Amino acid sequence: MAKERTLAIIKPDAVGRGLAGEILSQIHKGGFEIIAVETRRLSKAEAEGFYAVHRERPFFADLATFMSSGKVVILALEAENAIARWRELMGATDPAKAAPGTLRQQFGTSIQNNCTHGSDAPETAAFELGYFFSGRQLL
Ligand code: GDP
């Protein structure tokens, strides 16, 4: 299978608790190559734009506030089958339902504060990679 790319985010709850290094280590052990990385705090408008598909959901405002509450680590990851494999490493959205050993089971504390984000399909990966990184950064 050809290599594929996905957009990953280490969310403010994980960065704020000093977990970025441990999560990056598990990304490395999982066989992902880091193509691009950026650490910074998102504005609320950027978080809202990123999660625009969720704008009708009841938790949208809380989610945008949370995602702009502190620094995040934004990553372009590459591997064979990267989209599905990164979602497998993250685990289910709700940490209480995530499989043992997954990042969300290990480090997530609520359905919102679930420590990582990952694109869910090739079209969303293309949108999300382009939302944060320029073509030059993704060479
Ligand atoms: P994901 O693809 O597993 O990240 O899940 P979704 O696309 O359904 O949701 C996007 C993000 O919104 C999740 O990762 C959570 O941070 C947050 N979220 C999802 N469901 C809820 C909810 O019921 N309440 C709140 N407050 N946040 C939620």
Side-chain angles (χ1 to χ4, degrees), residues 68-132:
S68 56
S69 66
K71 279 192 174 176
V72 293
V73 181
I74 310 162
L75 298 145
L77 301 181
E78 184 173 279
E80 283 187 14
N81 207 15
I83 295 170
R85 279 177 52 203
W86 172 240
R87 287 192 68 88
E88 201 179 311
L89 184 57
M90 288 198 303
T93 307
D94 184 351
K97 296 181 183 150
T102 59
L103 294 168
R104 284 166 162 176
Q105 181 272 328
Q106 291 176 81
F107 306 123
T109 55
S110 71
I111 194 163
Q112 176 182 271
N113 295 22
N114 57 6
C115 75
T116 49
H117 166 85
S119 311
D120 62 2
E123 311 78 61
T124 31
F127 166 75
E128 293 179 357
L129 287 162
Y131 192 80
F132 288 118

Side-chain angles (χ1 to χ4, degrees), residues 11-34:
K11 294 184 178 181
D13 57 324
V15 176
R17 285 182 293 146
L19 294 168
E22 175 56 32
I23 292 173
L24 286 166
S25 168
Q26 294 196 30
I27 287 171
H28 183 64
K29 286 186 197 130
F32 295 92
E33 184 181 348
I34 296 173

